[in-house]
Amino acid sequence: MQPSRVAALCAASDGLDGGEEAVVPGSESSVATAVRAARPADGLTIWLLGNAGVLVVDSTGRRIAIDPWTSDWLESRSAANPEPVIRQRPARLTSEELADLVDAVLVTHEHPDHLDPGLAHTLPAAGVPVVLPQGCLPAAEACGYPASALRPVAVGEEIDVVDFAVEAVPAAHAFDGKGYGSYTEWLDERGAHRAVGYLIRAGGRVLFHGGDTVMWPGLQDRLRAARVDTCLLPINGRDWLREERGLVGNLTARESADLAAACGADVLVPVHFDGAVGNTGFPGELVDYASATYPHLTVALPGRLGVHLPPIDA
């Protein structure tokens, strides 16, 4: 995304392009019914919500969502959003369903396909707290989120979020000025992170949701030390044309598989492949590459019923 537009806040999201027609393979039913009915006896159950959004349920019935983009804010023209986008397919929950279902929301960074401005009133009205990096607190408040609903977290800090142990990890989601493909951590003027990933410990599993990121030195070692068993990683990638338009990219499908394997994970759930037209990815490429290169790695694409992950630490 163009950093200047982010600084102005609530502009079009990173990698989003409103200049193409969407190909929607039929309407998709909401996953709300399946989420409400889920009673996992152990471990965790995961649903994809679209784009980078996921919903996680533990055996006690507690539910958190990460990076939910459920409103039509980005698809609607306004002074704050002069270039509406086209979603490849609808979100799998409405904003009202999301607010009714979840106990908390985690946001990895302030781009509005992750920090949805259309949820600024819906989530607080339902009493749903929003955890986000310290550096994007001003962006959230500028989008209309009340300070009372926001719970900022610093990199390296571990907090309890409705009995999910959550730790923020740096993400490389800013251009470093050294040319194509060169990225660095996204920091504010005080050095606070504006983009993170999250380690999540619950249900005998250790998940890593990378948010928007590329590889950075030491990431795989940090994840291995945390004993990550399940990675949720973007696969929409990056290219010269998108970077020329100021769009900050992510891991490719192959890089996500490489990272998951390198950190010792057993499961890889791809995200950020079905968001806005012009910035999508190809799960089939990931499956082909992972099955040929890392046969021990399970690539999971949770459908309407979600995917259950049994506990690893008994």
Side-chain angles (χ1 to χ4, degrees), residues 124 191 215 252 263-264:
M215 273 298 295
T252 67
C263 76

Side-chain angles (χ1 to χ4, degrees), residues 90-155:
R92 292 182 174 180
L93 287 175
T94 67
S95 297
E96 291 71 26
E97 287 171 334
L98 175 74
D100 180 62
L101 283 171
V102 300
D103 300 298
V105 163
L106 308 182
V107 169
T108 61
H109 65 287
E110 65 200 59
H111 288 157
D113 58 333
H114 298 258
L115 175 65
D116 185 345
L119 292 171
H121 303 292
T122 308
L123 294 177
V128 177
V130 177
V131 177
L132 76 175
Q134 277 187 342
C136 69
L137 188 61
E141 292 178 343
C143 281
Y145 284 85
S148 59
L150 301 175
R151 187 173 182 186
V153 62
V155 159

Side-chain angles (χ1 to χ4, degrees), residues 32-129:
T33 299
V35 173
R36 291 191 180 99
R39 296 289 185 274
D42 57 17
L44 300 171
T45 301
I46 297 176
W47 281 266
L48 296 180
L49 301 182
N51 200 51
V54 299
L55 189 149
V56 184
V57 180
D58 72 2
S59 61
T60 69
R62 297 182 183 90
R63 304 170 184 143
I64 63 169
I66 307 165
D67 283 352
W69 168 25
T70 58
S71 83
D72 64 357
W73 189 93
L74 270 171
E75 299 164 90
S76 305
R77 189 177 304 277
S78 67
N81 186 42
E83 299 178 18
V85 305
I86 301 172
R87 285 192 78 133
Q88 187 186 57
R89 63 183 184 184
R92 292 182 174 180
L93 287 175
T94 67
S95 297
E96 291 71 26
E97 287 171 334
L98 175 74
D100 180 62
L101 283 171
V102 300
D103 300 298
V105 163
L106 308 182
V107 169
T108 61
H109 65 287
E110 65 200 59
H111 288 157
D113 58 333
H114 298 258
L115 175 65
D116 185 345
L119 292 171
H121 303 292
T122 308
L123 294 177
V128 177

Side-chain angles (χ1 to χ4, degrees), residues 289-308:
Y289 177 70
S291 63
T293 311
Y294 306 112
H296 67 281
L297 184 65
T298 297
V299 176
L301 284 164
R304 192 173 302 157
L305 300 180
V307 63
H308 177 249

Side-chain angles (χ1 to χ4, degrees), residues 3-24:
S4 60
R5 296 187 69 192
V6 175
L9 195 62
C10 293
S13 179
D14 53 305
L16 304 180
D17 183 359
E20 302 176 46
E21 292 298 321
V23 178
V24 181

